[in-house]
């Protein structure tokens, strides 16, 4: 009986996910009439717009990840160590990005930081990039926080902290040498999720008018036939590569039992 | 002033007054145990010395320096926890080197010190292992080496043996004591295991309800307990109420049976005082070298190998006594009458 259901579920999955994916991949290979070819991919990859926007998004993702780690690791650590009563509240706050649409946040940013405001962030490209980075950090917050918090649960935060303190360590040393290395697999999985989110993000980048990968995909999709399909397959591959890396990162550290 | 001086320490968590007027002067190189039942405030006292709790009142001095207001990382202490608390991401060697690195000790000196410490705990070959690859006993020894590596002034141990199984617990306590003596490090050891406290310490502090009931050598604690609580908590005791007939000579009656305690008593004639006997002080049968003979009825016999624990009824009270196993002396029959002889000086007088 169970087997039958498993097969039905599998079939459903094939019809719903794999078939369209297959169709798209097949279409992306059909640029040349009559034979399969990688022409569409060649065109896309050679497009300087593609290279520029993709680089921009990757750099933005890396900056976002760095900022996210600096923000989330100490916060989650401090909440676990000193403010356990605050945890439900902090969790609630980190979940807000899931229920507040990105477009609302961006309009808020633009209203608050436009060129005639008290802090004209949108006046310069750098300022706008910083604003975009904050937006991305917010989008990745639910995943980053949860990943790090789960990582912290696996270690005895309070006792390890006291052990380090008794040997003369200050907060910086404790965070850098004790806490961060022990939540590194969790941090990495949060980082790859962030990467996947930032690469595909459209709304914020488009409304802040930054040359990111998401808006590029949209423009290409509106104007070409085969190339968008190729691009979609590429984007899809990147996302899955991130997923794979998340899986790998949990096995990354040699000090856990998972390896042995 | 003593090397480590705790003076009039108080600690309250909200309304809960956990440590009350706790004072002790610990000499350099001394090994002091805090012994007491669960919740009596042992850990809290230790954590105040470590700087992890702030005393509500009182002061702590280490080596002439008042550390009461200092943070834990400024106190030069070493701490060993019940749960080992090794850094899981660091190897054994890196764990031991942690404190040295924090202190900015150079590479060569650090490596030498780590090797020396690993040698001290007998794990010289395991420097490259990760904590999860060690047994509990090995992990705790590494934790000890890690705490000692930066040459702390005071070593604090909070029930370091409680998570280990019985055999390791006994061997490791000998080892800890040997290392402590060799390094001459001032140590405070928290335990609720009286055997541990008595066997390891220079002095034992018996705590109850946040107070130090008695501070003394293991011998004093065991043989001259200052309070009823100490007498009852440390070791097994057979207690009796005795009525004083002559305070000057120490004559009392025990359930009508006259006996002499062979010492002057600080009680009026006719007063009731508490007296007690350790199980090992009594002897089954009549012994001419002992002054007091008590008639008894055997109620239970527990053969434990080297020791035979006999439970009897004496003067209407339950009485435990221990005898060594002898090949030619089978244990007495349950229900039989017997005589128990004790020396007059073996009676312990119970205070309040
Ligand atoms: N952070 C805290 N907040 C509130 N109460 C506390 C705190 N720490 C300890 N207590 C209370 O203080 C009392 C003494 O605790 P402590 O941990 O010192 O006992 P202990 O003698 O070490 O006991 P055990 O043998 O069980 O470890 C307990 O009643 C405990 O509930
Ligand atoms: Mg305790």
């Amino acid at each position: 009986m169970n087997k039958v259901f498993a097969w039905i579920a599998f079939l459903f999955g094939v019809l719903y996910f794999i078939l369209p994916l297959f169709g798209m991949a097949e279409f992306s290979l059909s640029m040349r009439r009559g034979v399969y070819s990688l022409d569409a991919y060649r065109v896309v990859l050679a497009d300087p717009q593609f290279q520029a926007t993709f680089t921009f998004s990757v750099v933005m993702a890396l900056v976002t990840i760095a900022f996210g780690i600096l923000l989330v690791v100490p916060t989650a650590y401090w909440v676990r160590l000193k403010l356990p009563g605050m945890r439900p509240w902090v969790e609630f706050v980190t979940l807000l990005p899931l229920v507040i649409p990105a477009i609302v946040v961006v309009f808020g940013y633009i209203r608050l930081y436009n060129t005639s405001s008290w802090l004209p962030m949108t006046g310069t490209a750098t300022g706008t990039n910083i604003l975009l980075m904050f937006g991305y950090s917010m989008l990745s917050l639910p995943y980053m926080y949860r990943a790090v918090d789960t990582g912290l649960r696996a270690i005895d935060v309070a006792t390890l902290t006291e052990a380090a303190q008794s040997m003369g360590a200050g907060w910086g040393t404790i965070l850098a040498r004790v806490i961060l290395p022990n939540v590194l697999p969790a941090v990495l999985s949060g980082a790859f999720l962030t990467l996947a989110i930032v690469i595909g993000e459209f709304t914020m980048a488009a409304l802040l008018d930054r040359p990111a990968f998401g808006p590029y995909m949209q423009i290409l999709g509106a104007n070409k036939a085969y190339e968008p399909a190729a691009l979609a397959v590429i984007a899809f591959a990147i996302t899955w590569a991130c997923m794979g890396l998340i899986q790998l990162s949990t096995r990354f550290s040699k000090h856990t039992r998972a390896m042995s | 002033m003593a090397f480590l001086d705790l003076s009039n320490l108080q600690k309250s968590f909200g309304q809960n007054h956990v440590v009350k007027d706790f004072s002790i002067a610990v000499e350099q190189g001394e090994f002091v145990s805090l012994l007491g039942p669960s919740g009596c405030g042992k850990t809290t006292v230790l954590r105040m010395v470590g700087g992890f709790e702030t005393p509500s009142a009182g002061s702590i001095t280490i080596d002439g320096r008042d550390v009461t207001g200092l943070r834990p990382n400024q106190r030069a202490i070493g701490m060993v926890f019940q749960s080992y608390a090794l850094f899981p991401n660091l190897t054994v060697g890196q764990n031991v080197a942690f404190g040295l690195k924090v202190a900015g000790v150079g590479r060569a000196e650090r490596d030498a010190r780590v090797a020396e410490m690993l040698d001290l705990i007998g794990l010289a070959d395991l420097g490259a292992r990760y904590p999860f690859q060690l047994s509990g006993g090995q992990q705790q020894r590494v934790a000890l080496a890690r705490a000692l590596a930066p040459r702390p002034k005071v070593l604090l141990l909070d029930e370091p043996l409680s998570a280990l199984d019985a055999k390791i617990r006994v061997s490791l306590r000998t080892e800890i004591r040997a290392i402590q003596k060799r390094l001459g490090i001032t140590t405070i050891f928290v335990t609720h295991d009286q055997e541990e406290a008595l066997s390891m310490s220079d002095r034992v502090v018996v705590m109850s309800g946040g107070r130090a009931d008695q501070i003394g050598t293991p011998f004093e604690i065991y043989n001259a307990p200052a309070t009823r609580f100490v007498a009852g908590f440390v070791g097994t005791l057979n207690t009796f109420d005795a009525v004083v007939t002559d305070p000057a000579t120490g004559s009392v009656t025990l359930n009508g049976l006259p006996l002499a305690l062979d010492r002057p008593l600080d009680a009026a004639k006719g007063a009731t005082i508490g007296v007690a006997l350790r199980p090992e002080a009594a002897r089954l049968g009549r012994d001419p070298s002992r002054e007091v003979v008590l008639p008894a009825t055997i109620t239970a016999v527990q053969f434990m190998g080297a020791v035979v624990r006999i439970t009897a009824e004496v003067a209407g009270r339950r009485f435990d006594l221990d005898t060594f196993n002898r090949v030619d002396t089978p244990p007495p029959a349950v229900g039989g009458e017997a005589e128990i002889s004790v020396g007059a000086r073996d009676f312990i007088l119970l205070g309040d």
Side-chain angles (χ1 to χ4, degrees), chain B residues 13 16 18 37-44 53 159 192:
Chain B
F13 293 108
N16 192 1
V18 173
S38 186
C40 70
K42 308 179 293 289
T43 297
T44 307
E53 303 285 358
E159 310 211 17
H192 59 249

Coordinates of all heavy atoms in Angstrom, one line a residue, chain B residues 13 16 18 37-44 53 159 192, ligand 1:
Chain B
F13 N 19.6 35.2 44.7 CA 19.0 35.3 43.4 C 17.5 35.7 43.7 O 16.7 34.9 44.1 CB 18.9 33.9 42.7 CG 20.3 33.4 42.3 CD1 20.9 32.4 43.0 CD2 21.0 34.0 41.3 CE1 22.2 31.9 42.6 CE2 22.2 33.6 40.9 CZ 22.8 32.5 41.6
N16 N 15.7 34.5 46.8 CA 16.3 33.3 47.2 C 17.7 33.5 47.7 O 18.7 33.8 47.0 CB 16.3 32.3 46.0 CG 16.7 30.9 46.4 OD1 16.9 30.6 47.5 ND2 16.7 30.0 45.4
V18 N 20.9 32.3 48.7 CA 21.6 31.0 48.4 C 22.9 30.8 49.1 O 23.1 29.7 49.6 CB 21.8 30.9 46.8 CG1 22.6 29.7 46.5 CG2 20.5 30.9 46.1
P37 N 24.9 18.7 50.3 CA 23.8 18.2 49.5 C 23.5 19.1 48.3 O 23.9 20.2 48.3 CB 22.6 18.1 50.5 CG 22.9 19.1 51.5 CD 24.4 19.2 51.6
S38 N 22.7 18.5 47.4 CA 22.3 19.3 46.2 C 21.6 20.6 46.6 O 20.7 20.6 47.5 CB 21.4 18.4 45.3 OG 21.2 19.1 44.1
G39 N 21.9 21.7 46.0 CA 21.2 22.9 46.2 C 21.7 23.7 47.4 O 21.2 24.7 47.7
C40 N 22.8 23.3 48.0 CA 23.3 24.0 49.2 C 24.2 25.2 48.9 O 24.6 25.9 49.8 CB 24.1 23.0 50.2 SG 25.7 22.6 49.5
G41 N 24.5 25.4 47.6 CA 25.2 26.6 47.2 C 26.7 26.4 46.9 O 27.4 27.4 46.7
K42 N 27.1 25.2 46.8 CA 28.5 24.9 46.5 C 29.0 25.5 45.2 O 30.0 26.3 45.1 CB 28.8 23.4 46.4 CG 28.3 22.6 47.5 CD 28.6 21.1 47.3 CE 27.8 20.4 46.2 NZ 26.3 20.3 46.4
T43 N 28.2 25.2 44.1 CA 28.5 25.7 42.8 C 28.5 27.3 42.8 O 29.4 27.9 42.2 CB 27.5 25.2 41.7 OG1 27.7 23.8 41.7 CG2 27.8 25.8 40.4
T44 N 27.5 27.8 43.5 CA 27.4 29.3 43.5 C 28.7 29.9 44.2 O 29.2 30.9 43.7 CB 26.2 29.7 44.3 OG1 25.0 29.0 43.7 CG2 25.9 31.2 44.2
E53 N 29.5 34.7 38.9 CA 28.4 35.3 39.7 C 29.0 36.4 40.5 O 30.2 36.3 41.0 CB 27.8 34.3 40.6 CG 27.2 33.0 40.0 CD 26.0 33.2 39.2 OE1 25.4 34.3 39.2 OE2 25.5 32.2 38.6
E159 N 32.5 19.4 40.5 CA 32.1 18.0 40.3 C 32.7 17.4 39.0 O 32.0 16.9 38.2 CB 30.5 17.9 40.2 CG 29.9 18.6 41.4 CD 28.6 18.0 41.8 OE1 28.3 16.8 41.5 OE2 27.8 18.7 42.6
H192 N 29.5 16.4 45.8 CA 28.6 16.0 46.8 C 28.9 14.5 47.3 O 28.1 13.9 48.0 CB 27.1 16.1 46.3 CG 26.9 15.3 45.1 ND1 26.7 15.9 43.8 CD2 26.8 14.0 44.9 CE1 26.5 14.9 42.9 NE2 26.6 13.8 43.5
Ligands
LIG1 N1 21.3 31.6 38.2 C1 20.5 31.3 39.2 N2 19.3 31.9 39.3 C2 18.4 31.5 40.3 N3 18.7 30.6 41.3 C3 19.8 30.0 41.2 C4 20.8 30.3 40.1 N4 21.9 29.5 40.3 C5 21.6 28.7 41.4 N5 20.4 29.0 41.9 C6 19.8 28.4 43.1 O1 20.8 28.5 44.1 C7 20.7 27.3 44.9 C8 22.1 26.8 45.1 O2 22.5 26.4 43.8 P1 24.0 25.7 43.6 O3 24.0 25.4 42.1 O4 25.0 26.5 44.1 O5 23.8 24.3 44.4 P2 24.9 23.2 44.5 O6 25.2 23.0 45.9 O7 26.0 23.3 43.5 O8 24.0 21.9 44.1 P3 24.3 20.6 43.2 O9 25.0 19.7 44.0 O10 22.9 20.2 42.8 O11 25.1 21.1 42.0 C9 19.7 26.4 44.3 O12 18.5 26.4 45.0 C10 19.5 27.0 42.9 O13 18.2 26.7 42.5

